[in-house]
């Protein structure tokens, strides 16, 4: 078991990290918000934490706290502007934010290293930190979903107009969730930078944002285990398909399409579907 961990510890760390990031989008999907801002918010947290640890001599914990605060502030500002939009327009606006941040990082050579990225980042993210963090995030999201906030989330998802008519400030509620999601993304960015020991603007673009949305949908957008299952599949599957470099992306796409078509409730529903088929 120890030898297996050492052989695949990097994949395990990525599964844990991606699971944490998936919970940020999991919160937003609970109120029908499809956000592609994760990549940009991760970049804010990543580059700030790198600057603080490498240039200012900060220790890791305060640098992560600053990354969370900066990403939360960015999410609050972005949410204040784009949450008045609906549907595709909201998604396009969040994608535009991610692209703007990526382009800034690409051209701000003195702070971000430009297209070459930042090398030599100290490896400060450890597996035990990711395990504890994921456990904490799961507990907090579980507690929120079982509280009055969770009931309001389900009500907003079912009929936003009715909740608003009942006197609740839906806009402020969504902004709070969007800010919380931004905090998770900023934390994930700081952890990712000090896990991989290298970052480049391409690490925080469109594909990163899409992956964090696909993970909870693939695993199960209404089940607390969904983000972990989806993120693990999306992390492990590319590694398992390394034998076919040319067909790798196609096979991943086919696998995800099959899961969405035949398991609309996510992979977490697979045991239930299997039991029904056996019973019939």
């Amino acid at each position: 078991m120890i030898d297996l961990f050492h052989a695949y510890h990097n994949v395990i760390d990525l599964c844990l990290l991606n699971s944490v990031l998936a919970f940020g989008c999991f919160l937003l999907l609970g109120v029908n918000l499809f956000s592609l801002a994760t990549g940009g918010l991760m970049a804010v947290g990543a580059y700030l934490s790198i600057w603080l640890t490498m240039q200012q001599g900060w220790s890791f914990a305060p640098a992560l706290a600053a990354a969370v605060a900066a990403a939360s502030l960015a999410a609050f500002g972005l949410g204040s502007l784009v949450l008045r939009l609906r549907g595709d327009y909201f998604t396009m606006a969040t994608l535009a934010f991610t692209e703007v941040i990526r382009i800034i990082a690409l051209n701000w050579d003195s702070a971000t290293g430009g297209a070459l990225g930042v090398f030599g980042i100290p490896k400060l993210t450890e597996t035990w930190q990711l395990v504890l963090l994921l456990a904490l995030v799961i507990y907090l999201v579980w507690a929120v979903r079982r509280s009055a906030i969770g009931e309001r989330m389900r009500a907003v998802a079912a009929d936003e107009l009715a909740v608003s008519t009942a006197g609740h400030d839906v806009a402020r509620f969504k902004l709070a969730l969007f800010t919380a999601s931004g905090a998770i993304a900023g934390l994930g960015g700081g952890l990712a930078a000090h896990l991989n020991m290298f970052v480049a603007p391409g690490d925080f673009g469109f594909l990163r944002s899409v992956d964090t949305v696909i993970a909870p949908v693939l695993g199960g957008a209404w089940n607390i285990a969904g983000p972990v299952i989806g993120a693990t599949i999306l992390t492990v599957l590319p590694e398992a398909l390394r034998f076919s470099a040319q067909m790798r992306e196609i096979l991943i796409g086919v696998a995800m399409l099959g899961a969405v078509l035949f398991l609309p409730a996510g992979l977490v529903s697979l045991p239930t579907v299997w039991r029904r088929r056996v019973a019939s």
Side-chain angles (χ1 to χ4, degrees):
M1 183 64 70
I2 295 177
D3 292 338
L4 183 65
F5 171 77
H6 285 300
Y8 294 101
H9 74 277
N10 188 53
V11 176
I12 294 172
D13 288 345
L14 289 176
C15 288
L16 294 169
L17 176 62
N18 291 335
S19 296
V20 171
L21 290 168
F23 273 102
C25 289
F26 181 73
L27 286 174
L28 299 181
L29 290 172
V31 290
N32 296 332
L33 288 177
F34 190 93
S35 172
L36 294 177
T38 303
L41 295 169
M42 280 186 68
V44 171
Y47 284 114
L48 179 59
S49 66
I50 291 168
W51 180 71
L52 291 175
T53 55
M54 297 183 68
Q55 303 296 329
Q56 302 301 313
W58 284 35
S59 58
F60 191 36
L64 282 181
V68 170
S72 299
L73 184 61
F76 180 84
L78 176 64
S80 299
L81 296 175
V82 304
L83 282 171
R84 66 189 68 180
L85 303 175
R86 293 291 181 269
D88 295 343
Y89 295 100
F90 170 79
T91 302
M92 290 170 62
T94 56
L95 174 59
F97 168 80
T98 291
E99 285 302 295
V100 167
I101 296 297
R102 185 185 65 83
I103 292 171
I104 291 174
L106 192 63
N107 291 278
W108 196 0
D109 293 1
S110 60
T112 66
L116 296 177
V118 181
F119 296 86
I121 303 171
K123 189 178 186 307
L124 302 175
T125 302
E126 302 291 342
T127 303
W128 66 269
Q129 297 169 341
L130 295 172
V131 170
L132 290 179
L133 177 61
L134 179 58
L136 177 62
V137 169
I138 291 174
Y139 171 75
L140 291 176
V141 173
W142 174 82
V144 165
R145 287 172 61 87
R146 289 177 60 88
S147 68
I149 297 176
E151 293 179 1
R152 188 174 299 181
M153 289 175 65
R154 288 186 286 273
V156 170
D159 193 336
E160 180 179 335
L161 181 60
V163 176
S164 180
T165 304
H168 297 287
D169 192 340
V170 175
R172 181 178 296 180
F173 182 66
K174 285 186 174 182
L175 181 58
L177 290 176
F178 194 78
T179 303
S181 176
I184 293 175
L187 179 61
L191 291 169
H194 291 87
L195 175 66
N196 300 324
M197 297 179 289
F198 166 76
V199 296
D203 297 334
F204 307 111
F206 171 73
L207 292 179
R208 167 64 80 172
S209 296
V210 169
D211 283 347
T212 56
V213 174
I214 290 177
V217 174
L218 180 63
W222 296 101
N223 191 295
I224 198 70
V228 177
I229 295 173
T232 300
I233 293 296
L234 290 178
T235 304
V236 172
L237 197 57
E239 297 297 325
L241 295 176
R242 283 187 180 275
F243 66 88
S244 179
Q246 294 180 342
M247 295 292 293
R248 185 175 170 189
E249 298 299 326
I250 296 176
L251 292 173
I252 292 174
V254 170
M256 289 190 295
L257 181 61
V260 171
L261 289 176
F262 298 105
L263 295 170
L267 292 173
V268 72
S269 67
L270 185 58
T272 302
V273 174
W274 178 258
R275 285 196 298 269
R276 288 176 180 174
R277 290 188 176 182
V278 171
S280 61

